[in-house]
Amino acid sequence: MKKFAELVSCLVLFALSGSAFAQSDLNKSALESLISSTDAQLAPAVSGAMEKGQAPAVPAPSAAVAAVSGVRLQDITDKCTQQGEVVSAYPGIYKLIHSEENSRIIRVFRFSDAKGNDRRVEVYFTGGDWMQYGLTYLATNAGPDKNRVNAYFIEDLSTPDREEGGIAPRIDPFDTQKLAGFIAAEFLNAAGGVKASFVSAASAAASAK
């Protein structure tokens, strides 16, 4: 009877271990499926994590923004630069917002909205000589009227200390990857419009000089 009990115990342990191995194979299969559907440049990092038995790292914001928001940004800053300075398509809008002595457009992105209309986002940075960190606006023709441009003050890309500029913003506007991720995932909605949580600081015709 004792030998019979031992035999049953062994069979139970064998069955449980088989189930565990099957579950492990299932997890590995699911992870490999994830790798194949992820951007090629992220696959090595996920594979390495799998081999080490670690959870795969969370992808960088810019790698996920297209899937999250449905908007794909294209950096066209170089095409908008003349003699080392980025030229605005909407110069008139910047006359309507507060600017410190140092002001410039640091990035320009283009994208197509849900209707296929070509849209543009200019990243405008301004700050005083005494400020370690500055203030950032996004000027864009995203919205129902592509001939109208709005400028939005962006707290997440600006110093909370608007007087002295001594506190770093939540997101560094000079980090292009994080900047693009914020615009695509947090500023724009899936249709290519500006999310309702952002309030325009100024509005003008896109042709205003």
Side-chain angles (χ1 to χ4, degrees):
M1 186 68 179
K2 181 177 180 181
K3 292 183 177 180
F4 178 75
E6 291 175 347
L7 178 60
V8 171
S9 298
C10 289
L11 290 174
V12 171
L13 289 173
F14 180 80
L16 290 175
S17 63
S19 175
F21 283 123
Q23 183 66 32
S24 176
D25 290 340
L26 181 61
N27 290 340
K28 183 176 181 180
S29 176
L31 189 54
E32 289 173 343
S33 176
L34 172 64
I35 293 171
S36 65
S37 63
T38 305
D39 192 294
Q41 66 181 5
L42 295 175
V46 179
S47 300
M50 182 182 68
E51 293 174 357
K52 296 177 182 178
Q54 301 173 345
V58 177
S62 63
V65 291
V68 172
S69 70
V71 175
R72 292 183 180 275
L73 297 178
Q74 179 185 1
D75 188 345
I76 59 170
T77 309
D78 289 345
K79 297 179 180 179
C80 303
T81 302
Q82 296 180 7
Q83 298 180 344
E85 182 178 349
V86 180
V87 179
S88 172
Y90 321 120
I93 192 67
Y94 301 111
K95 298 176 182 178
L96 304 178
I97 60 178
H98 172 76
S99 296
E100 298 292 349
E101 54 190 338
N102 300 312
S103 301
R104 61 192 175 101
I105 298 170
I106 58 176
R107 284 287 157 191
V108 180
F109 298 96
R110 70 159 300 278
F111 67 93
S112 296
D113 64 16
K115 296 182 179 180
N117 295 313
D118 189 65
R119 306 291 188 168
R120 178 184 179 113
V121 178
E122 296 182 352
V123 184
Y124 181 74
F125 181 83
T126 181
D129 288 335
W130 67 93
M131 299 174 72
Q132 182 178 357
Y133 303 99
L135 309 172
T136 302
Y137 291 81
L138 297 181
T140 180
N141 64 340
D145 184 359
K146 65 180 180 179
N147 296 313
R148 195 79 187 170
V149 59
N150 287 279
Y152 301 83
F153 173 70
I154 308 299
E155 293 184 356
D156 288 323
L157 301 174
S158 304
T159 175
D161 180 10
R162 300 189 67 165
E163 294 296 328
E164 301 298 330
I167 303 175
R170 183 175 76 86
I171 298 172
D172 181 2
F174 291 93
D175 186 321
T176 304
Q177 186 179 39
K178 292 182 179 179
L179 173 64
F182 172 84
I183 294 173
E186 299 187 49
F187 179 68
L188 299 173
N189 58 35
V194 178
K195 290 185 177 181
S197 56
F198 292 91
V199 179
S200 174
S203 181
S207 59
K209 300 297 183 181

